[in-house]
Amino acid sequence: MTHKERMLMAARGELPDLLPYVPRFDLWYNANSWGNTLPQRHRGRTADDIARAEGWALHKIIPELLKVRTPEDNVHRGLGLYSLKENGYRIRFSPNVDVSVSRAGDSIKVEYHTPVGTISVSEVITDEMRKAGASITWVQERAIKSVRDYRILSYIYESIEIVSDYERYASWQSEVGVDGVACMMGTFCASPMQHIQRDLLEATEFFYEYKDHQTEMRRLAESIEHVYDQILEVVAASPAEVVLWGANYDDMITYAPYFKSEILPWLGKACSTLEEKGKLVICHCDGENLGLMDLIRDSGMHVAEAVCPYPMTKVRIEEYYQQWGDKLTIFGGIPQSLLLEETASEEEFQAYIDHFFKAVAPGSRIIVGIADTTPPNAVFDRLVRLGERVAKEGRLPLEAGGFRPVLATQITKGSVIATRTLPDETFQVIQHDVFQGDNISIIAHVKEMLGKGTSAQEILHKGMISAMEVIGGKFKSGEVFIPEVLLSARAMNKALLVLEPYLAGDKSEMSGKILIGTVRGDLHDIGKNMVSTMLRGVGFEIRDIGINVTSDAFVEEVAEFKPDVVGLSALLTTTMREMKNVIDALKKAGLRDKVKVIVGGAPVNEKFATDIGADGYGADAGEAIALVKRLLEGTN
Ligand code: B1M
């Protein structure tokens, strides 16, 4: 049986001879070929050569965004559209849209001039990013910067024609041959609204806009639908067997009610249209799926790719298999942290694989893969041994052995906290504004209370902070979702501007300067933004220095801003160790004893924080606030 046959059988829910093994290792390959550190036997080989030499299937699900045949193929990344070999289509603009591209050093700026206005976007890829294995550029300047941009973007999307380009796709498909499945890329987003969220707006900004400019946003989504309908038609008529439709679902970013109303209808439509044409649909489900388990299972997708279980996320592999295994194929299952010496010992790695074989017995609807990809500093030999074990022990059906599934109750979200009552009626109006995230009314209400002689301190503490604490608690217990928290924090920020002059005399109320940033090599900022927004919301003075911040830059900013606390965020296993470099640099500059350092981000934990000499770790934004308060009060 060929790799391709095996993968397609698993994707259809049939039982192939052996578990398909399809490791993704683009990041590892890019970084190590850039640094000339590929294993001796693989020097000079392409990634595909390596996979073939090792006997693995080729991972051809996520398109190669940087390996393009012409510069036009990926130039419209800022609009979230591509004309790649994997697409099977090209984008064409009407003559009314004049596209100008300027390249300077590592950056590309693209401008779309239309009769109704101009949209500009820019992206960057530096040598440092390449060294770290980056497979995509970073969009620096997003398309939507003001409310007038919605109309211009509508004009642009309505002017787009999707033209089939099956020939180029077919030639790539034949290059892949029977060594893998050449997945056609429909879209990275499952729906037009997810397209606006993921590709056109900065992540935090999206949630504000979603509340403030719903009408404009919906109108733009309709214009994007014009493009999505064409893509669906072209992809449905293509020679592809498998289509990628949607990526990066995550129960915080695409939280359940949002997923249900804004993603599911389109995802369902795409899946049924493509299924009618005999195609299978894959979604890149690399996020935290706990809150989306039922929705994903019933969405109509055939394969959930990049499924990343515990210990990197909250859902265990056996729970995935129990809940999804009869309906959709799980592609992934090996969290990348298992390939790293620093996060998994050899025994832990072997124990996980033992467990994996038992947890996915009898082995139908499983494609073994690394979620989401192999990190640059992975122990390559573990990929090899995993392949050997799959070849040896992955004959289907697998025997369940002594494995006993965990109870479903063990994975329900944390128990819902009792809503704290906020007894002081005088402040209920303000509290209500914070709960509602009403950044307009809160200003009037705060002014009214000040006018009646209520003290700014009381308004801040009894009105705003007490309400924000309730929101924080509800977020932690899963009762409210990210947008509510961000909107409440924004209302707090606005009200604070009104209170500030009254609080200024009392330094104790505004004390606490926090410098925060995502460390070098890491471009994730959604969590960091949330933490800074919430800290600002409860009255701290925040300087957010963004993403990819070097230790030197942290030192310079500390010397200049003189914060009480420095907050470091990292989402990658490979960048979390950069946190120690920041601490060391602060020591070297003689600044370490002048500040407290706190760390956070998905791969970080308490032990790591202690090991690197940080003063504390916050698992989420609420904990970060509590931690900062404790540190500043000297009670930590
Ligand atoms: Co990336 N990504 N990503 N990604 N991405 C993860 C993190 C990953 C876990 C996915 C996976 O493998 N399943 C994986 C990292 C694996 C690892 O090393 N441990 C990963 C990878 C591999 C990558 C790339 C390498 C992919 C590639 O190129 N092939 C690439 C790296 C780019 C780079 O940084 N150099 C990449 C790129 C991207 C996108 C650009 C597509 C996008 C980022 C968009 C953005 O940030 N503007 C993205 C996304 C969205 C994710 C997932 C799906 C979601 C992350 C997120 O925003 N969560 C993520 C999957 C996952 O986390 N399971 C994944 C919501 C957010 C609110 O939570 O950030 O955890 P979080 O923040 C929380 C807490 O952690 C905490 O509070 C927040 C609120 O509760 N917290 C702090 C955070 N910072 C804190 C600081 C504190 C205290 C608390 O004190 C200072």
Side-chain angles (χ1 to χ4, degrees), residues 591-609:
L591 293 167
R592 177 65 185 95
D593 54 357
K594 298 195 168 46
V595 287
K596 300 285 183 195
V597 178
I598 66 163
V599 293
V604 180
N605 59 30
E606 193 83 56
K607 180 176 179 306
F608 175 79

Side-chain angles (χ1 to χ4, degrees), residues 24 27 135-136 138 198 248 250 252-253 286-288 308 312-313 336 371-373 475 482 516 521-528 530-531 567-569 571-574 598-603 618-621 624:
R24 180 177 170 201
L27 205 66
S135 50
I136 45 174
W138 176 252
R198 183 183 181 280
N248 301 131
D250 178 275
M252 279 217 226
I253 308 170
D286 66 330
E288 174 61 69
C308 184
M312 277 182 59
T313 61
Q336 56 165 286
D372 108 312
T373 185
F475 174 67
I482 274 196
I516 189 165
D522 204 317
L523 307 174
H524 294 85
D525 64 358
I526 302 175
K528 184 262 300 162
M530 232 183 114
V531 173
L568 309 176
S569 180
L571 264 279
L572 299 172
T573 325
T574 44
I598 66 163
V599 293
D620 55 36

Side-chain angles (χ1 to χ4, degrees), residues 513-535:
K513 284 163 76 175
I514 325 263
L515 179 78
I516 189 165
T518 302
V519 297
R520 189 174 75 117
D522 204 317
L523 307 174
H524 294 85
D525 64 358
I526 302 175
K528 184 262 300 162
N529 290 350
M530 232 183 114
V531 173
S532 41
T533 307
M534 282 183 68
L535 283 168

Side-chain angles (χ1 to χ4, degrees), residues 305-340:
E305 188 261 348
V307 172
C308 184
Y310 180 88
M312 277 182 59
T313 61
K314 297 188 186 115
V315 187
R316 292 171 190 273
I317 183 62
E318 56 271 30
E319 293 157 351
Y320 270 118
Y321 199 56
Q322 286 158 19
Q323 295 194 34
W324 287 359
D326 60 340
K327 261 200 147 159
L328 59 94
T329 297
I330 298 163
F331 187 158
I334 312 294
Q336 56 165 286
S337 57
L338 282 184
L339 303 176
L340 298 171

Side-chain angles (χ1 to χ4, degrees), residues 318-440:
E318 56 271 30
E319 293 157 351
Y320 270 118
Y321 199 56
Q322 286 158 19
Q323 295 194 34
W324 287 359
D326 60 340
K327 261 200 147 159
L328 59 94
T329 297
I330 298 163
F331 187 158
I334 312 294
Q336 56 165 286
S337 57
L338 282 184
L339 303 176
L340 298 171
E341 251 159 9
E342 62 213 69
T343 43
S345 66
E346 185 56 31
E347 292 69 38
E348 284 164 334
F349 167 70
Q350 294 293 354
Y352 184 88
I353 308 306
D354 290 344
H355 175 75
F356 180 85
F357 283 120
K358 290 175 184 163
V360 303
S364 54
R365 288 200 174 277
I366 287 287
I367 299 177
V368 184
I370 309 302
D372 108 312
T373 185
T374 306
N377 51 337
V379 182
F380 183 74
D381 193 44
R382 288 192 186 172
L383 274 191
V384 176
R385 272 179 288 129
L386 179 56
E388 287 166 359
R389 287 200 59 178
V390 171
K392 209 165 136 213
E393 299 163 52
R395 293 263 143 228
L396 298 180
L398 300 172
E399 279 176 28
F403 175 72
R404 292 284 172 276
V406 292
L407 298 172
T409 48
Q410 280 175 253
I411 57 159
T412 53
K413 267 200 160 178
S415 62
V416 173
I417 56 148
T419 307
R420 261 188 48 197
T421 45
L422 297 170
D424 204 331
E425 279 178 26
T426 327
F427 299 99
Q428 271 176 5
V429 179
I430 301 286
Q431 290 158 359
H432 184 259
D433 290 336
V434 175
F435 290 145
Q436 295 303 308
D438 190 335
N439 62 325
I440 312 278

